[in-house]
Amino acid sequence: MPEIFNPQRIAKNSLLLYGRMLFTVWFNLWAARLVLAHLGAEGYGVYGVVAGVVGIFSFFTMGITSSVQRFITFELGKPNGNPGRMFAASLFAVLMLAALMVVVLETAGVCFALYAINIPVAMEPAVMPVYQLSVLACVLTLLAVPFHAVVIAHERMDIYAMVTIAQVVLSWLAAYVLVQWPQEERLGLYAVFMAMVPLVVLVAYIGYCRRKFEETRVRLRLEMGVVREIATFAGVSTTSGLLQTLAFHGIVLVVNWVFGVTVNAVYQIALQLKNSVLSFGLNIFKAISPQITKTYADGDIDRHTRLVYTGSKVEAYMILLILIPFVCRAEQIMTLWLGYLPPYTVAFAVCTVFLSLTYAFFEPIRASVLATNRITKFLLVPDSLYLLAIPISYGVSVLTNDPRMMIVSVVLTDILICVVRVWYAAQVTSVRMGVLLRKVLVPCCAVGILSGALCAALSYGLKQDVLGLLVLLVANSLLMVVVIYLVGLDKDERRIVKGFLRLKVHG
């Protein structure tokens, strides 16, 4: 049986994922700038809101993804697991779900796209082509789920990094070549190009997995016991995904109804920035997530718990490394990125980037709960409460007529729901609220406050130009490393860091 816990593999995979992140973040930000420039704020907003309609129904994908990933990884972690049997059942479940999604998206989804969104008259002819291509992209993404799960479960982060880099480059090319076509054709062509990207990803994953992993070469067969187990987990996850998606896209529609498509474009830009920043912190999570599940499956609860605490803390530090200088120089950074800043862009960006800190901190805890398979209350109660974000954001929008107050209300609601999630996680896992507060939250707050004060002082003393920004980023990173080592790590963690550095220096 292969070794379940492997710190060296975590370190290697983290470095691979950070290399991937540096590449993909740059290209994602560049692509967003190109799309905004080539489509215009209205075209970008229309694409975001129409694709968002498909996103409302893509909660199916969210549920089955977490289910398939959990069961395949868990099976590999068991002493006598049968991953081939689990993969075959997962693939069958995904195919059935893909067929169901097509039916739903081509009925209820079409009606929603045609009658429930506010689109400028000049853009109306593009709505259905963009919608149908978004449906195709959604289905192709779903079909790749079992193969992606196998790659992650085997901790082949090099392959995952290569595929996602190719995906980002293709998305960038889709934005880059738009300038070659007339303005009126660009929105439809962009939707075509973006539908081709998941097709390439699907073919790449199938080809690699069929060659490298024996469990993916089994015949498709229906084993009702295994499928029922996957379906039960996926049903709860899907319901959770439905609630999250309704809340998330409900907020998108609130923005559309109250403020129009221009602010929709600002919201889409802010979300893309948040996801790019979040990916920086989630690199370590992706590296440790399979081992969180495998150590639980193997019965090593002590190591499992330590992975959760350490993962939560380190992820928070990774987000703070970007969040702090970004808050100090948000307008300058956004101007360098986009060139033209629509109104409210900076406020939306700061709020959503701050929200990524909450998400990164929480992900290892969520992985621990999913490993236990005791997920019903943990997922459904907080997600039900999160629906309150829709009336709250709408009420704030109408009362204040200020998009900035709306996004602040969304962030505060999200943070409150995260606290509820952690409380439920403590009921079903080895994670304890008091220990989490002492070992994770207190040191993270100390690092954030001290590093924020130092960065603000540096920013005040440096010029507001590109050279000043570069100096700030480098100096802040060095100072934060020192602050994290002295304030953010306990004695055992500092001893591990010293041992790792000594090993690298001496050989």
Side-chain angles (χ1 to χ4, degrees), residues 34-265:
L34 290 173
V35 174
L36 181 62
H38 295 162
L39 295 184
E42 280 198 349
Y44 196 8
V46 168
Y47 181 82
V49 76
V50 172
V53 174
V54 176
I56 291 176
F57 295 93
S58 67
F59 56 86
F60 291 113
T61 303
M62 297 167 63
I64 197 66
T65 298
S66 61
S67 179
V68 168
Q69 187 68 70
R70 186 266 176 192
F71 281 99
I72 290 178
T73 306
F74 193 91
E75 204 68 24
L76 284 172
K78 289 168 61 177
N80 298 302
N82 187 346
R85 178 167 168 260
M86 192 61 68
F87 176 83
S90 299
L91 184 58
F92 182 87
V94 164
L95 290 171
M96 295 301 99
L97 186 56
L100 176 62
M101 277 193 65
V102 171
V103 172
V104 173
L105 288 169
E106 293 299 336
T107 52
V110 168
C111 293
F112 198 86
L114 290 176
Y115 303 113
I117 57 178
N118 177 20
I119 297 293
V121 175
M123 296 284 185
E124 287 180 355
V127 170
M128 283 312 297
V130 170
Y131 177 82
Q132 294 295 340
L133 289 164
S134 299
V135 171
L136 175 61
C138 183
V139 171
L140 292 171
T141 300
L142 176 59
L143 295 178
V145 164
F147 301 94
H148 172 266
V150 169
V151 170
I152 298 298
H154 282 278
E155 302 181 60
R156 291 305 309 267
M157 300 305 173
D158 52 342
I159 302 303
Y160 169 74
M162 291 172 59
V163 172
T164 51
I165 285 173
Q167 183 176 3
V168 168
V169 170
L170 290 173
S171 299
W172 170 81
L173 281 172
Y176 183 79
V177 300
L178 288 178
V179 73
Q180 305 296 327
W181 278 271
Q183 182 68 41
E184 63 273 11
E185 298 179 9
R186 291 178 183 176
L187 179 58
L189 283 169
Y190 182 66
V192 171
F193 295 148
M194 293 305 291
M196 293 171 62
V197 173
L199 175 61
V200 174
V201 170
L202 174 62
V203 171
Y205 272 133
I206 291 176
Y208 178 79
C209 289
R210 297 278 294 180
R211 287 197 307 272
K212 296 294 183 179
F213 304 125
E214 185 178 351
E215 63 263 32
T216 63
R217 296 194 290 268
V218 297
R219 291 190 303 171
L220 184 66
R221 59 181 183 271
L222 175 61
E223 294 188 38
M224 283 307 301
V226 182
V227 172
R228 190 180 300 112
E229 190 177 9
I230 295 172
T232 300
F233 189 102
V236 176
S237 297
T238 298
T239 305
S240 169
L242 170 60
L243 295 171
Q244 290 182 32
T245 303
L246 288 175
F248 173 78
H249 291 286
I251 294 168
V252 172
L253 293 174
V254 166
V255 174
N256 180 250
W257 292 331
V258 180
F259 302 113
V261 293
T262 300
V263 180
N264 266 127

Side-chain angles (χ1 to χ4, degrees), residues 422-493:
V422 173
W423 185 86
Y424 272 101
Q427 313 306 307
V428 298
T429 69
S430 56
V431 173
R432 295 294 173 260
M433 294 285 284
V435 179
L436 191 68
L437 180 67
R438 184 178 73 255
K439 288 192 172 183
V440 181
L441 193 58
V442 170
C444 286
C445 289
V447 169
I449 292 170
L450 183 55
S451 299
L454 292 172
C455 186
L458 279 172
S459 180
Y460 181 78
L462 294 170
K463 291 183 178 180
Q464 296 286 325
D465 56 13
V466 175
L467 179 60
L469 177 62
L470 292 174
V471 172
L472 177 66
L473 294 175
V474 173
N476 176 74
S477 298
L478 295 174
L479 285 172
M480 271 203 69
V481 169
V482 175
V483 171
I484 290 170
Y485 182 80
L486 296 177
V487 178
L489 303 180
D490 58 30
K491 291 181 180 179
D492 291 337
E493 290 165 341

Side-chain angles (χ1 to χ4, degrees), residues 9-27:
R9 189 162 60 237
I10 291 178
K12 175 186 173 183
N13 285 337
S14 296
L15 290 173
L16 282 169
L17 291 171
Y18 275 111
R20 158 197 168 270
M21 179 274 302
L22 292 172
F23 188 91
T24 57
V25 166
W26 171 257
F27 269 85

Side-chain angles (χ1 to χ4, degrees), residues 133-434:
L133 289 164
S134 299
V135 171
L136 175 61
C138 183
V139 171
L140 292 171
T141 300
L142 176 59
L143 295 178
V145 164
F147 301 94
H148 172 266
V150 169
V151 170
I152 298 298
H154 282 278
E155 302 181 60
R156 291 305 309 267
M157 300 305 173
D158 52 342
I159 302 303
Y160 169 74
M162 291 172 59
V163 172
T164 51
I165 285 173
Q167 183 176 3
V168 168
V169 170
L170 290 173
S171 299
W172 170 81
L173 281 172
Y176 183 79
V177 300
L178 288 178
V179 73
Q180 305 296 327
W181 278 271
Q183 182 68 41
E184 63 273 11
E185 298 179 9
R186 291 178 183 176
L187 179 58
L189 283 169
Y190 182 66
V192 171
F193 295 148
M194 293 305 291
M196 293 171 62
V197 173
L199 175 61
V200 174
V201 170
L202 174 62
V203 171
Y205 272 133
I206 291 176
Y208 178 79
C209 289
R210 297 278 294 180
R211 287 197 307 272
K212 296 294 183 179
F213 304 125
E214 185 178 351
E215 63 263 32
T216 63
R217 296 194 290 268
V218 297
R219 291 190 303 171
L220 184 66
R221 59 181 183 271
L222 175 61
E223 294 188 38
M224 283 307 301
V226 182
V227 172
R228 190 180 300 112
E229 190 177 9
I230 295 172
T232 300
F233 189 102
V236 176
S237 297
T238 298
T239 305
S240 169
L242 170 60
L243 295 171
Q244 290 182 32
T245 303
L246 288 175
F248 173 78
H249 291 286
I251 294 168
V252 172
L253 293 174
V254 166
V255 174
N256 180 250
W257 292 331
V258 180
F259 302 113
V261 293
T262 300
V263 180
N264 266 127
V266 171
Y267 191 41
Q268 294 297 323
I269 291 168
L271 291 175
Q272 181 161 358
L273 181 65
K274 182 207 75 174
N275 291 334
S276 296
V277 172
L278 184 59
S279 70
F280 186 80
L282 291 184
N283 283 316
I284 288 181
F285 170 69
K286 287 182 182 297
I288 68 172
S289 178
Q291 294 195 22
I292 288 176
T293 303
K294 289 176 180 178
T295 49
Y296 184 87
D298 195 43
D300 192 350
I301 302 303
D302 181 63
R303 204 179 296 265
H304 167 86
T305 307
R306 282 188 281 128
L307 276 172
V308 173
Y309 290 142
T310 302
S312 295
K313 184 160 62 173
V314 173
E315 285 197 30
Y317 293 155
M318 294 299 100
I319 297 298
L320 286 172
L321 194 64
I322 297 179
L323 173 64
I324 290 173
F326 178 79
V327 170
C328 290
R329 294 287 185 97
E331 186 170 357
Q332 181 187 5
I333 292 171
M334 295 295 290
T335 302
L336 287 172
W337 171 29
L338 297 174
Y340 161 68
L341 293 184
Y344 309 112
T345 302
V346 173
F348 271 57
V350 170
C351 287
T352 54
V353 169
F354 180 80
L355 196 56
S356 67
L357 180 63
T358 304
Y359 290 173
F361 161 82
F362 178 72
E363 279 303 308
I365 301 171
R366 183 176 182 273
S368 178
V369 177
L370 297 185
T372 69
N373 202 14
R374 299 170 63 189
I375 62 173
T376 304
K377 290 183 180 179
F378 167 79
L379 292 179
L380 300 187
V381 175
D383 289 333
S384 298
L385 293 174
Y386 191 54
L387 290 174
L388 294 173
I390 299 175
I392 290 172
S393 62
Y394 181 77
V396 170
S397 299
V398 172
L399 289 174
T400 66
N401 196 32
D402 187 343
R404 293 169 296 187
M405 296 305 297
M406 185 279 298
I407 195 64
V408 168
S409 71
V410 171
V411 170
L412 292 177
T413 304
D414 221 325
I415 292 173
L416 177 61
I417 297 305
C418 185
V419 174
V420 176
R421 292 184 196 278
V422 173
W423 185 86
Y424 272 101
Q427 313 306 307
V428 298
T429 69
S430 56
V431 173
R432 295 294 173 260
M433 294 285 284

